[in-house]
């Protein structure tokens, strides 16, 4: 399992030549620690039938190499806290003054730390030719906003994660500068939706990515969004 996950991640990195991801902040190399072993984007007993069905359909599309399954972990791309700290010092020096380094040891990815089936369940796939990332997402009962509906912030989070993944694949180290969302229909809690993102254009350090959220049968358009990501420039004091 670890081998195939590593191979897939490597494939994504190789696609882009890991542009901007040369890890100038990384101080050491070595075997990945244990937490890297669990890929949270693989089927779990808590997944619904729809989620499993879509996963299988996309995995089928991966067989000819046109799509790639993106593994997902509950920590950042960095393996060690000192790497995170060095990253922040290199790219976000202003923020670094306010960050509690000890607390960094506890840092985890926001969307990957609910109990199985209760929060964000998702899996992403990438098509390099079409510059698309598709996320199959099921928002669990702990993400309720209005009764029976998914919280808008949870939808925004998953849109950001999907377009953010697209931006990272294209240009490496990026941050969201702008995210515009139109919530057109409420998303039923615990339903499966497709988040479709499209890299529209890159202008210098700016990446423009659009996105929509649809029902599995594609009959309901729940949400539309546009986003702007900026490739971080370590020469700038952000
Ligand atoms: C590695 C390969 C393998 C990958 C596999 C996949 C791995 C996946 C891993 C998990 C991924 C999860 C993704 C999650 C993504 C979450 C991202 C966030 O939440 S981030 C958290 C939330 N985000 C934050 O906290 C970000 C906070 N903001 C900042 O830090 C900074 O504002 C900045 C860095 C965004 C830009 O600063 P700075 O570098 O100083 O930039 P400048 O001022 O120089 O501007 C450059 C150009 O951009 C323009 N422009 C800029 N802004 C806007 C705007 N809003 N509106 C319009 N335009 C804007 C500006 O006019 C200029 O244009 P031009 O003149 O060149 O034409």
């Amino acid at each position: 399992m670890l081998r195939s996950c590593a191979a897939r991640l490597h494939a994504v990195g190789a696609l882009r030549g890991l542009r901007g991801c040369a890890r100038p902040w990384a101080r050491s190399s070595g075997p990945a620690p244990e937490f890297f072993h669990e890929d949270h984007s693989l089927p779990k007993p808590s997944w619904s039938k729809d989620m499993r069905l879509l996963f299988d359909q996309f995995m089928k599309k991966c067989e000819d190499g046109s799509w790639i399954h993106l593994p997902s972990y509950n920590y950042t791309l960095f393996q060690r806290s000192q790497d995170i700290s060095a990253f922040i010092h290199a790219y976000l020096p202003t923020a670094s003054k306010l960050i509690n380094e000890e607390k960094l040891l506890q840092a985890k990815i926001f969307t990957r730390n609910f109990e199985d089936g209760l929060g964000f369940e998702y899996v992403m796939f990438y098509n390099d030719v079409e510059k698309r990332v598709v996320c199959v997402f099921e928002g669990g009962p702990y993400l309720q906003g209005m009764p029976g509906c998914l919280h808008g912030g949870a939808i925004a989070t998953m849109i950001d994660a999907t377009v953010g993944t697209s931006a990272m694949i294209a240009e490496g180290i990026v941050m969201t500068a702008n995210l515009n969302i139109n919530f057109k229909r409420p998303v039923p809690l615990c339903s499966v939706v497709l988040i479709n993102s499209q890299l529209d254009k890159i202008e210098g350090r700016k990446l423009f990515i659009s996105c929509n959220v649809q029902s599995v049968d594609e009959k309901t358009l729940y949400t539309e969004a546009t986003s702007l990501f900026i490739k971080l420039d370590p020469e700038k004091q952000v």
Side-chain angles (χ1 to χ4, degrees), residues 115-135:
E115 275 176 56
D116 284 356
L118 296 180
F120 298 90
E121 291 296 344
Y122 61 95
V123 51
M124 293 189 199
F125 295 89
Y126 173 63
N127 184 311
D128 190 51
V129 173
E130 297 173 13
K131 304 295 176 214
R132 288 175 58 199
V133 172
V134 172
C135 175

Side-chain angles (χ1 to χ4, degrees), residues 133-145:
V133 172
V134 172
C135 175
V136 183
F137 168 48
E138 180 170 348
Y142 283 14
L143 304 184
Q144 181 173 246

Side-chain angles (χ1 to χ4, degrees), residues 9 12-13 18 21 70 77 160-161 164-165 168-169 175-178 205-206 228-230 232 236 238:
L9 239 196
V12 176
L18 283 177
C21 284
L70 299 174
L77 285 173
D160 195 23
T165 297
M168 279 185 191
I169 291 171
M175 279 190 103
T176 321
N178 182 272
R205 294 168 55 221
K206 297 191 283 191
L228 170 67
F229 282 77
I230 307 288
L232 293 192
K236 291 193 69 173
V238 176

Side-chain angles (χ1 to χ4, degrees):
M1 181 61 71
L2 176 63
R3 239 186 108 138
S4 64
C5 292
R8 282 196 295 268
L9 239 196
H10 178 77
V12 176
L15 274 172
R16 295 282 109 228
L18 283 177
R19 264 186 271 161
C21 284
R23 303 200 321 150
W25 58 87
R27 291 171 189 156
S28 56
S29 58
E34 199 58 34
F35 59 71
F36 255 84
H37 293 191
E38 190 179 354
D39 179 356
H40 289 265
S41 70
L42 296 174
K44 303 169 189 175
S46 59
W47 279 16
S48 66
K49 217 171 107 197
D50 278 350
M51 182 95 182
R52 182 62 212 239
L53 202 70
L54 278 160
F55 176 84
D56 290 342
Q57 282 173 8
F58 271 99
M59 287 307 277
K60 192 101 194 116
K61 291 185 190 181
C62 291
E63 283 172 9
D64 67 3
S66 55
W67 287 83
I68 294 170
H69 166 245
L70 299 174
S72 171
Y73 307 98
N74 66 357
Y75 287 73
T76 64
L77 285 173
F78 311 110
Q79 297 176 18
R80 298 165 189 82
S81 60
Q82 66 264 37
D83 288 351
I84 302 175
S85 175
F87 166 83
I88 293 165
H89 284 283
Y91 284 94
L92 307 167
T94 312
S96 74
K97 292 180 194 118
L98 298 170
I99 289 170
N100 179 330
E101 302 252 340
E102 269 180 39
K103 294 274 182 192
L104 273 185
L105 294 170
Q106 296 171 293
K108 290 184 179 182
I109 294 285
F110 172 34
T111 50
R112 283 297 184 203
N113 284 285
F114 288 80
E115 275 176 56
D116 284 356
L118 296 180
F120 298 90
E121 291 296 344
Y122 61 95
V123 51
M124 293 189 199
F125 295 89
Y126 173 63
N127 184 311
D128 190 51
V129 173
E130 297 173 13
K131 304 295 176 214
R132 288 175 58 199
V133 172
V134 172
C135 175
V136 183
F137 168 48
E138 180 170 348
Y142 283 14
L143 304 184
Q144 181 173 246
M146 289 296 281
C149 302
L150 199 59
H151 195 292
I155 301 169
T157 297
M158 282 315 301
I159 289 175
D160 195 23
T162 306
V163 291
T165 297
S166 172
M168 279 185 191
I169 291 171
E171 288 292 321
I173 310 297
V174 296
M175 279 190 103
T176 321
N178 182 272
L179 186 57
N180 260 303
I181 300 180
N182 289 317
F183 298 99
K184 299 172 92 70
R185 294 279 178 272
V187 177
L189 199 63
C190 305
S191 67
V192 179
V193 297
L194 284 167
I195 306 176
N196 305 291
S197 75
Q198 176 73 57
L199 174 62
D200 296 323
K201 60 176 173 174
I202 302 178
E203 281 176 2
R205 294 168 55 221
K206 297 191 283 191
L207 294 93
F208 297 84
I209 304 169
S210 53
C211 184
N212 67 47
V213 182
Q214 288 182 314
S215 57
V216 169
D217 62 10
E218 297 183 349
K219 287 186 179 154
T220 308
L221 175 62
Y222 292 118
T223 318
E224 282 181 319
T226 56
S227 67
L228 170 67
F229 282 77
I230 307 288
K231 183 175 165 66
L232 293 192
D233 178 355
E235 301 300 311
K236 291 193 69 173
Q237 298 290 298
V238 176

